Amino acid sequence: MVLSVFAYLPIKNAKAATSEGLVFSGTVNVADTINATVTYANGTVTISGTNLSLNNTTEVCTEDQAPMTLTFTPNTGYKIGEIRIAGALISLSADNKYTWTPEANAHSGIDVSFEEDVAYTYLDFNTGTATVDTTNNKVTYTVDGTAVEISISDAAGGSYTWDGQVMKIKLDKLNQITFAIADYSSVQESISVKVDKAGTMTSVNSISGDGKFNLGGMLEEASNAGNGYRLRVEPAGNQNPGPAPANDDYEDINIEATFNGCKGEILINGTRITPDTGEVESFTGTVPQIGYTSEDETNEIIIRTEFAYVVNRIVINGVEYTFDDDSDEQTIEVAGATSYNISVFGTADDRKTIIWANPGATDIDSADALIEHGNARIIAVYDENGNKLDYHEYTNQEEQPDGSRSDAYGLRNNSGWAVVKAGYKVVFEFTPEYGYQLTKVAANEQELEPQSTTNQYVFTMPNTHVHFAATFTKTEDVVKTDSSSVESGTIELGGALDGGSAQLTVNDVELSSDKIAGFESAAGDYTISNYLDIDLYNVFYKGKNDANDVWSNKISELDKEATITIQLAEGVTADDIVIVHNVHDGDEYEVIEIESYDAATNTITFKTKSFSNYAIATKVKGVTTVTTPDKTTTTPTTATTSPKTGDNMMLFVILLSMSVLGFGILTISGIKKKLSK
């Protein structure tokens, strides 16, 4: 017979194969036994058997239909998706193997997909009352005779696919699926939107006026494939919809389960059978319509131990399964049965706790873990080989009394809690409030190393529990100047930054002839005396009280104007001055009038919200002629425009003094003439 082996990737989100198909052939060679490794996109398939040889042509041959063992191995970060042989879906053994005896003279294909190993949850739609349009991403419910259409938009930070009545949601990070109810204004008083999981129902109360709502917080709770929610749209006031309909082929199964050395929970075919209140030590009962009872079918059993414990061994109906991957969750496919006796054996792992308390924390009262005027969160954890851990491996996903769960960073009511193995690298982010800077940070006296990314620090987890000590210090916004025309200055923002403080820099700048021409044209009859580069930065200290060792993020424009006051250097006056601004260093120029001038300190104040190149411009000087009875004097002076505060008085005093002096000289001269006669 001739056997063709090829692969394609039908699953959405799986990466494309390197070729359209992989086909092998060879000749019969009874003396040889070979192992042929076939490389697919994101995984490999190993084919082994007798009476089989392989050359570099395109087919594999076997004359006596010898059994062949196929082994499927996904690459790191991927898992085995769907596998079909001659179009029929197959299941693998626990070690990802399948024994195949090809049919005589048949040309049978092997279709394989390796898909990304990511966390999924499922959103099922009430099959009895909803019609799903998977092409246009719409669901239609009929409520009290009225059709309610829900359109579904993409998830923020994730993605989703359809599978019949089920939406399969990929949880890359905090995920928000947005729904929009058509004609919501006309039906809002008569409908109620709810979500339930394992019979526990939660109303969706955040529907906006345009009929939009999202399920982000609820979706985040489910972290593994098979965890699902059911969306319901029903008449308002219906608070007891009952449990979700089960698979019609499922039957009741008796369960007796115990956890030894730990607590945990059990799911069968995606439904949790242990109470929703949390992990338990044991469970006994009959679960209705939970799975298959025929040995010809299989049920999926998921075992989870409580946080900081790992599953060592599981015994199901006398069959023992052992594990050495230090995981707190294991999935086992078992033959259908009318009852399952499950024993789970778990032990505490060697992880240590990290705790901290952000402002407003309610369940951590340790003084040395309290953080004020800032926030902390875990960004990532890396093992001893530099591999990034999934956040479920180190954060607490324990359900809270209000039904919520902690987020991806281990925060519960603003309190932080994570468990990490000694020797692992932990990346933390410490973000100060606006007006504060992180001037000291340590974990059990071990200083944290700042990274290239703003506000991120790394430390090696010690073999002990850790409390953070973080000190955020009140810090003013500053102006730094290195200009011949500006001595110093201050800045007052019109609105707060996201954190840290502001730093304004003022420096002399050399410009091209084109830029100079642009400034001069904008200045009109003012003469430019100085060109300045004025930049604004949002700065963050690197864990110590050093204003020169900071992360600097340049801000090109603010939402609201900032008030800037600069002290002009000696020799630069503000008798009549304006500021010319080259907006974003582009082709646009603007003239900014100064708001005030303080002659005593030689400071000017103006407002702006954009930062780039500026110029100081003063009025073009002309001449003023003063005539006395015996003398005419021509004196250079500024042109008479609207003078600044104090200028009129000063000019008046000078002219008055000159007039009095001239009058006195004339008077004395007249007296002398009289006396000489």
Side-chain angles (χ1 to χ4, degrees):
M1 64 164 287
V2 176
L3 163 68
S4 295
V5 181
F6 58 93
Y8 70 93
L9 300 175
I11 304 299
K12 186 176 180 181
N13 295 329
K15 297 183 179 179
T18 55
S19 64
E20 291 297 324
L22 301 176
V23 184
F24 299 85
S25 74
T27 57
V28 177
N29 187 339
V30 178
D32 286 344
T33 298
I34 66 95
N35 290 291
T37 300
V38 184
T39 301
Y40 292 81
N42 309 314
T44 60
V45 179
T46 299
I47 308 171
S48 65
T50 59
N51 300 329
L52 182 67
S53 65
L54 182 68
N55 59 25
N56 293 324
T57 56
T58 58
E59 295 176 343
V60 171
C61 297
T62 177
E63 272 193 3
D64 56 1
Q65 298 91 58
M68 305 171 67
T69 299
L70 307 181
T71 303
F72 300 84
T73 307
N75 293 345
T76 301
Y78 289 83
K79 62 184 178 181
I80 299 170
E82 187 176 85
I83 301 176
R84 292 180 181 272
I85 295 181
L89 186 66
I90 67 167
S91 298
L92 304 181
S93 62
D95 55 356
N96 293 338
K97 294 182 183 296
Y98 180 76
T99 300
W100 177 33
T101 302
E103 296 180 8
N105 300 316
H107 192 102
S108 301
I110 304 176
D111 305 332
V112 184
S113 70
F114 294 101
E115 58 186 5
E116 290 180 273
D117 189 9
V118 295
Y120 288 95
T121 188
Y122 294 89
L123 185 62
D124 192 5
F125 296 91
N126 194 332
T127 309
T129 59
T131 301
V132 179
D133 179 354
T134 59
T135 302
N136 299 308
N137 289 352
K138 292 183 178 180
V139 179
T140 302
Y141 286 88
T142 301
V143 181
D144 288 346
T146 301
V148 179
E149 182 184 89
I150 298 181
S151 59
I152 301 158
S153 64
D154 288 341
S159 61
Y160 67 88
T161 57
W162 289 94
D163 181 14
Q165 296 285 130
V166 176
M167 178 186 292
K168 185 178 182 182
I169 304 163
K170 176 180 176 183
L171 300 177
D172 283 339
K173 49 187 175 181
L174 179 60
N175 203 305
Q176 292 187 344
I177 290 282
T178 301
F179 298 78
I181 301 177
D183 299 325
Y184 176 67
S185 60
S186 64
V187 297
Q188 58 183 311
E189 299 299 329
S190 60
I191 67 169
S192 178
V193 180
K194 299 182 177 69
V195 175
D196 69 75
K197 179 185 179 185
T200 302
M201 184 182 62
T202 303
S203 295
V204 178
N205 298 318
S206 59
I207 305 177
S208 58
D210 58 1
K212 292 184 178 180
F213 64 96
N214 67 69
L215 303 179
M218 298 177 186
L219 297 178
E220 188 189 12
E221 295 180 26
S223 61
N224 296 281
N227 284 351
Y229 294 81
R230 174 152 300 210
L231 178 70
R232 297 173 175 274
V233 178
E234 53 196 33
N238 183 1
Q239 299 300 314
N240 186 23
N247 185 320
D248 292 339
D249 294 331
Y250 284 175
E251 299 182 37
D252 299 353
I253 297 177
N254 298 315
I255 307 294
E256 183 176 349
T258 58
F259 286 84
N260 302 275
C262 62
K263 296 180 181 179
E265 62 181 8
I266 299 174
L267 292 84
I268 296 182
N269 297 327
T271 299
R272 183 164 58 179
I273 65 169
T274 49
D276 289 346
T277 54
E279 291 86 1
V280 299
E281 293 181 345
S282 63
F283 172 83
T284 300
T286 299
V287 183
Q289 290 185 285
I290 192 64
Y292 296 108
T293 58
S294 170
E295 293 183 356
D296 296 333
E297 304 285 354
T298 59
N299 293 316
E300 180 185 73
I301 298 180
I302 297 176
I303 308 293
R304 297 176 185 158
T305 53
E306 63 183 307
F307 201 69
Y309 283 80
V310 297
V311 180
N312 300 124
R313 186 165 60 99
I314 299 173
V315 180
I316 301 178
N317 288 357
V319 179
E320 183 172 322
Y321 304 84
T322 58
F323 311 94
D324 56 6
D325 56 356
D326 292 334
S327 176
D328 57 3
E329 178 178 312
Q330 300 294 344
T331 301
I332 302 172
E333 292 246 346
V334 297
T338 57
S339 63
Y340 290 115
N341 186 297
I342 304 171
S343 295
V344 182
F345 299 86
T347 58
D349 61 19
D350 57 354
R351 292 178 286 179
K352 302 297 180 181
T353 60
I354 307 172
I355 66 170
W356 68 96
N358 288 323
T362 58
D363 55 358
I364 293 181
D365 56 7
S366 177
D368 60 352
L370 182 62
I371 295 175
E372 296 182 305
H373 304 297
N375 285 275
R377 65 173 185 168
I378 293 178
I379 296 297
V381 176
Y382 298 88
D383 65 17
E384 67 273 12
N385 297 317
N387 299 312
K388 185 177 180 181
L389 275 61
D390 183 274
Y391 70 81
H392 296 101
E393 297 183 43
Y394 56 84
T395 57
N396 181 17
Q397 293 293 297
E398 177 183 353
E399 188 168 325
Q400 303 303 301
D402 63 357
S404 65
R405 288 178 179 262
S406 57
D407 71 8
Y409 308 103
L411 302 178
R412 298 180 303 166
N413 300 322
N414 290 319
S415 300
W417 189 79
V419 179
V420 178
K421 285 187 177 183
Y424 282 16
K425 298 288 186 182
V426 183
V427 180
F428 253 88
E429 180 182 75
F430 292 88
T431 305
E433 297 175 1
Y434 171 60
Y436 288 84
Q437 292 288 359
L438 180 63
T439 54
K440 183 179 180 181
V441 59
N444 292 9
E445 303 302 323
Q446 174 190 344
E447 291 189 2
L448 274 63
E449 179 183 348
Q451 303 295 286
S452 58
T453 303
T454 301
N455 291 331
Q456 290 190 11
Y457 300 79
V458 67
F459 79 103
T460 302
M461 187 68 186
N463 192 24
T464 184
H465 302 301
V466 170
H467 286 185
F468 275 112
T471 302
F472 291 92
T473 303
K474 182 71 174 175
T475 307
E476 300 295 333
D477 296 334
V478 298
V479 175
K480 290 188 174 183
T481 178
D482 185 16
S483 169
S484 59
S485 58
V486 177
E487 291 283 355
S488 61
T490 61
I491 181 171
E492 181 181 343
L493 300 183
L497 300 175
D498 292 336
S501 56
Q503 177 178 288
L504 188 76
T505 62
V506 183
N507 301 294
D508 293 328
V509 63
E510 294 184 2
L511 300 175
S512 67
S513 58
D514 291 343
K515 286 295 183 183
I516 292 174
F519 270 108
E520 290 178 344
S521 176
D525 58 353
Y526 283 78
T527 298
I528 294 175
S529 59
N530 299 86
Y531 292 102
L532 302 173
D533 178 19
I534 301 180
D535 291 320
L536 182 66
Y537 296 90
N538 189 187
V539 299
F540 297 90
Y541 288 15
K542 293 186 177 181
K544 54 187 177 181
N545 198 2
D546 185 352
N548 296 314
D549 187 14
V550 299
W551 288 288
S552 296
N553 301 319
K554 193 172 184 178
I555 300 174
S556 60
E557 188 162 356
L558 294 169
D559 293 334
K560 297 181 180 179
E561 288 185 328
T563 301
I564 298 174
T565 300
I566 57 176
Q567 182 182 24
L568 300 176
E570 186 177 351
V572 181
T573 60
D575 293 334
D576 195 5
I577 192 170
V578 293
I579 304 295
V580 184
H581 175 216
N582 183 196
V583 180
H584 298 314
D585 295 334
D587 296 329
E588 180 184 353
Y589 295 82
E590 63 178 352
V591 175
I592 302 174
E593 298 287 344
I594 64 172
E595 292 205 333
S596 63
Y597 168 62
D598 186 340
T601 59
N602 201 26
T603 58
I604 61 173
T605 299
F606 63 96
K607 288 185 176 181
T608 186
K609 61 180 182 179
S610 181
F611 302 90
S612 47
N613 287 331
Y614 285 76
I616 298 176
T618 56
K619 201 67 171 177
V620 178
K621 291 191 175 183
V623 295
T624 299
T625 302
V626 179
T627 303
T628 61
D630 60 349
K631 188 176 182 180
T632 298
T633 304
T634 301
T635 305
T637 183
T638 56
T640 55
T641 58
S642 301
K644 306 303 175 187
T645 305
D647 292 353
N648 279 337
M649 182 61 69
M650 182 62 71
L651 180 61
F652 175 76
V653 171
I654 292 173
L655 294 176
L656 179 61
S657 299
M658 292 175 62
S659 299
V660 172
L661 178 60
F663 178 76
I665 293 173
L666 290 174
T667 302
I668 294 172
S669 175
I671 293 173
K672 285 183 178 181
K673 288 181 180 180
K674 287 183 179 182
L675 292 176
S676 65
K677 289 182 178 180

